[in-house]
Amino acid sequence: MINFKAIFTAQLASVLNGQLSEEAITDLIETPKKPAHGDLAFPCFTLAKAFRKSPASIAEETACQIQGPYIEKAEAAGPYINIFYSKEAASAVIMEKILIEEKEYGQLNDGADKTAVLDFSSPNIAKPFSMGHLRSTVIGNALGNLAEKCGYKAVRINHLGDWGTQFGKLITAYKKWGSPDKVKENPIKELLSLYIRFHEEAEANPALEDEARSWFKELENGNKEAGILWNWFREESLKEFQRVYDMLGIHFDSYNGEAFYNDKMESVIEELIAKELLTESDGADVVQLPDEDLPPCLIKKSDGATLYATRDLAAAFYRKAAYQFDHSLYIVGQEQSIHFRQVKSVIKKMGYEWADNMTHVPFGLYLKDGKKMSTRKGRVILLEEVLDEAVLLAKNNIEAKSPGLENKNEVAEAVGIGAILFHDLKNDRMNNIEFSLEDMLTFEGETGPYLQYTNARAYSLLRKADDLPSAKNGLSDSYSWEITKLLYQYPEKIRQSYMQFSPSVLAKYLIDVAQAFNKYYGQVRILENDAGIKARLALVKAVTIILSDGMQTLGMKVPQKM
């Protein structure tokens, strides 16, 4: 692909006689917000001292010397040099590249022969898959897809919450109030009910907490009854989770959860002791982190129990050995930021520089009535119910507007679930999101259904056309040029999305493409049988390629008819 920015950079470097390096020039080049100000712009402020002239004078004298392939004109606008490319020549090159490569357009080699490990979703077993897990799940999946678009091998890990004192509470609750038949009939719903009841009863009867700790100790010590119950709870939970993952179109390469590391922590603790990093504090074993301005990292409690940090240390060493990762991403809520800084700092103190490749990717919360959702307090919204309701609403809309549509159920599922996914991913991941089904399922504006409908509209134009798309000739109108410039940016938007660990960069870009195309659709007779029809169809085809691939990268399905 021709690098239009590089052409402008080379021209400027030549004219400026080495006053600025090509790298410095490239860093200064801007994309004007208004099309009237050109396609690229260079501010001359940094040259004022060297030339002993005003930036405006430098721009005036320099602009007339800029010429090159694909550059239609260069003009001075105050202190800026604005470049206008030849729309017809440049658009032909861009569209031809996209039409030839199709899904390969936007595929990068940044991560060639490298591995990215992504730890995401990670629900607690024996609890329902709630809206609170949606963000980690869909952000992590999108980042996995983006990593693959950048050339990395992506390893997706579901670090299940399948160990801890909560299982002592659940075993206690089940033995006191549980019914085997009820659990078999509706495992997660019944287990959640028992879990909530335990906390309600424990407020009046604190002795239940002691009983729960005792049962967890039995589980840790290999008690047969406790182990059978734990395995049952885990298996039933995974069946439940898999149904939701199937709806979302998400897969994992590993379901190794907390319990997997039970026999892998001792070697880490021994190494900490050998390197004299473990100290005693109030009876507990900790690693002090004063140089990192962090609280001590708890490794073992006074009763000998290990903690999350111990398991995450063991997991990090295991994953490095198993996958030799170049990036290790933890897509976990922002409330765990200090924890992951501690884990990373401990590994660095142990002398392992690869800790620098471990990155916590935090995100905000889904809130209900301004409060964090809590399984313990019963303030939980089940994700599967939300997905089902979204699909039902989409189905009702299809029945009302397109009753003759083929594959209505498949389209309704793609649209309903796509609405939920996109509503999450278009938001900056650090923002909290107030749960509102109404907002998620709005089928107008900057939404998933809007993207899908725009794409289906473009496919419809291609089906109706008598001609085939051809990029042999470009287009010269301003509406098509605005779309073409956006399509040209797709590979860089993929790169930015992954490097910033922010799927919202891609999501917002796709909205820009869709809006530009709909503006074009409203202003230009695309199917008019004249000399430009093949080029217009090439542009429409290019739009379907970018929107389709972009939505699939975010995890959405792409119906061609709606």
Side-chain angles (χ1 to χ4, degrees):
M1 170 66 89
I2 290 171
N3 188 327
F4 294 100
K5 194 174 186 179
I7 292 172
F8 185 24
T9 297
Q11 286 288 311
L12 278 168
S14 175
V15 172
L16 295 175
N17 294 319
Q19 288 294 336
L20 283 176
S21 68
E22 289 200 2
E23 185 179 356
I25 291 170
T26 299
D27 288 343
L28 287 168
I29 290 175
E30 303 172 2
T31 301
K33 291 181 180 179
K34 295 182 180 179
H37 295 162
D39 300 314
L40 292 174
F42 178 80
C44 296
F45 302 105
T46 55
L47 298 169
K49 186 176 180 180
F51 285 101
R52 296 182 181 179
K53 294 179 181 177
S54 71
S57 297
I58 298 168
E60 190 71 42
E61 293 172 10
T62 308
C64 62
Q65 301 177 62
I66 301 293
Q67 55 184 321
Y70 302 102
I71 296 176
E72 188 174 86
K73 65 176 179 177
E75 62 182 28
Y80 285 87
I81 300 170
N82 293 340
I83 289 293
F84 296 80
Y85 287 109
S86 166
K87 297 180 180 65
E88 189 170 344
S91 66
V93 171
I94 294 168
M95 288 190 295
E96 183 177 35
K97 176 81 170 174
I98 297 171
L99 264 59
I100 289 173
E101 294 191 359
E102 295 207 6
K103 283 182 72 69
E104 292 303 308
Y105 185 73
Q107 185 68 43
L108 307 173
N109 293 318
D110 301 25
D113 301 319
K114 295 180 179 179
T115 298
V117 170
L118 300 98
D119 176 330
F120 65 100
S121 194
S122 309
N124 292 321
I125 69 167
K127 294 182 184 176
F129 205 127
S130 74
M131 279 298 299
H133 296 107
L134 179 66
R135 300 219 71 190
S136 174
T137 304
V138 300
I139 293 170
N141 183 58
L143 288 176
N145 294 340
L146 284 163
E148 289 172 340
K149 288 290 289 182
C150 289
Y152 292 87
K153 177 187 176 183
V155 179
R156 296 164 167 85
I157 296 175
N158 197 334
H159 188 76
L160 295 168
D162 61 0
W163 202 251
T165 55
Q166 70 266 33
F167 294 103
K169 296 174 183 180
L170 194 56
I171 291 169
T172 301
Y174 176 76
K175 287 183 67 64
K176 286 187 176 296
W177 312 297
S179 157
D181 291 338
K182 283 185 177 180
V183 173
K184 287 174 185 173
E185 184 182 342
N186 199 332
I188 300 300
K189 184 177 180 181
E190 184 60 22
L191 292 173
L192 172 62
S193 174
L194 290 170
Y195 187 74
I196 292 170
R197 181 172 178 181
F198 175 90
H199 285 280
E200 290 173 346
E201 299 270 356
E203 286 185 12
N205 182 11
L208 283 172
E209 296 282 1
D210 295 329
E211 196 171 337
R213 278 190 285 272
S214 175
W215 266 114
F216 181 59
K217 194 69 177 171
E218 289 296 318
L219 180 62
E220 286 189 306
N221 292 338
N223 177 284
K224 186 175 180 181
E225 182 185 8
I228 289 171
L229 287 173
W230 177 81
N231 267 308
W232 182 33
F233 298 159
R234 190 180 193 277
E235 288 170 10
E236 293 298 338
S237 298
L238 282 173
K239 289 178 193 173
E240 188 94 349
F241 297 159
Q242 193 58 53
R243 192 165 64 248
V244 176
Y245 292 133
D246 288 345
M247 292 177 76
L248 293 169
I250 290 173
H251 72 278
F252 292 92
D253 301 296
S254 166
Y255 285 89
N256 289 336
E258 293 175 28
F260 179 76
Y261 299 100
N262 281 346
D263 62 352
K264 297 172 179 61
M265 291 181 286
E266 196 56 42
S267 61
V268 177
I269 295 170
E270 288 172 0
E271 185 172 345
L272 287 169
I273 294 169
K275 291 181 175 177
E276 299 182 346
L277 293 173
L278 214 57
T279 60
E280 187 179 314
S281 176
D282 295 329
D285 290 331
V286 306
V287 176
Q288 300 288 349
L289 300 169
D291 295 341
E292 293 79 8
D293 195 27
L294 288 168
C297 183
L298 285 163
I299 303 298
K300 261 189 177 183
K301 291 197 287 190
S302 56
D303 63 0
T306 53
L307 293 104
Y308 283 123
T310 329
R311 292 177 189 279
D312 277 337
L313 287 168
F317 281 101
Y318 175 83
R319 292 170 188 175
K320 184 62 180 175
Y323 307 115
Q324 291 300 311
F325 60 73
D326 298 276
H327 289 171
S328 180
L329 307 184
Y330 296 83
I331 299 92
V332 183
Q334 58 187 335
E335 67 272 18
Q336 295 296 323
S337 292
I338 290 177
H339 165 77
F340 284 109
R341 284 175 60 201
Q342 288 176 311
V343 170
K344 186 171 179 175
S345 296
V346 169
I347 294 173
K348 285 213 70 170
K349 269 182 118 57
M350 293 171 77
Y352 298 100
E353 292 302 316
W354 51 262
D356 289 333
N357 300 324
M358 295 167 57
T359 304
H360 175 214
V361 181
F363 52 85
L365 302 167
Y366 268 112
L367 305 177
K368 184 182 178 187
D369 302 323
K371 297 177 182 177
K372 180 181 177 181
M373 296 177 182
S374 169
T375 307
R376 180 182 298 185
K377 296 180 181 178
R379 188 167 57 241
V380 63
I381 298 171
L382 302 185
L383 177 55
E384 188 173 4
E385 290 179 3
V386 174
L387 295 175
D388 286 340
E389 192 165 343
V391 172
L392 180 61
L393 179 59
K395 195 177 295 184
N396 292 340
N397 282 354
I398 290 169
E399 288 291 353
K401 296 176 181 177
S402 307
L405 181 68
E406 301 170 19
N407 305 318
K408 284 188 285 191
N409 290 342
E410 287 179 27
V411 174
E413 187 173 302
V415 172
I417 293 173
I420 303 295
L421 288 174
F422 193 79
H423 178 80
D424 189 302
L425 296 175
K426 75 175 182 181
N427 284 284
D428 185 288
R429 61 176 165 78
M430 291 305 294
N431 293 342
N432 290 337
I433 302 176
E434 179 68 32
F435 175 77
S436 167
L437 198 55
E438 184 179 350
D439 288 347
M440 287 183 174
L441 302 179
T442 298
F443 286 70
E444 297 173 359
E446 297 182 357
T447 66
Y450 171 76
L451 281 182
Q452 290 167 318
Y453 180 73
T454 299
N455 197 42
R457 168 183 275 177
Y459 273 113
S460 176
L461 287 168
L462 295 174
R463 287 193 297 271
K464 290 176 183 176
D466 294 327
D467 291 275
L468 293 174
S470 171
K472 184 178 180 182
N473 298 310
L475 295 165
S476 58
D477 66 281
S478 59
Y479 295 109
S480 67
W481 181 233
E482 289 310 304
I483 304 173
T484 305
K485 285 194 294 183
L486 281 169
L487 300 180
Y488 176 71
Q489 296 173 20
Y490 183 58
E492 189 56 34
K493 292 296 181 182
I494 291 289
R495 178 178 284 114
Q496 288 175 14
S497 291
Y498 183 66
M499 294 310 294
Q500 296 175 25
F501 305 128
S502 180
S504 67
V505 171
L506 176 58
K508 290 168 184 173
Y509 162 78
L510 294 176
I511 287 290
D512 289 342
V513 172
Q515 289 174 339
F517 176 73
N518 284 321
K519 189 175 181 181
Y520 179 67
Y521 181 87
Q523 296 290 334
V524 177
R525 295 171 64 88
I526 296 172
L527 296 182
E528 185 167 342
N529 193 14
D530 59 16
I533 186 168
K534 289 181 180 290
R536 290 194 296 275
L537 290 173
L539 179 63
V540 174
K541 176 71 173 174
V543 166
T544 64
I545 290 168
I546 300 303
L547 286 182
S548 296
D549 191 61
M551 284 190 280
Q552 287 168 344
T553 300
L554 291 177
M556 298 167 65
K557 291 182 180 175
V558 185
Q560 294 188 12
K561 293 181 180 180
M562 282 178 68

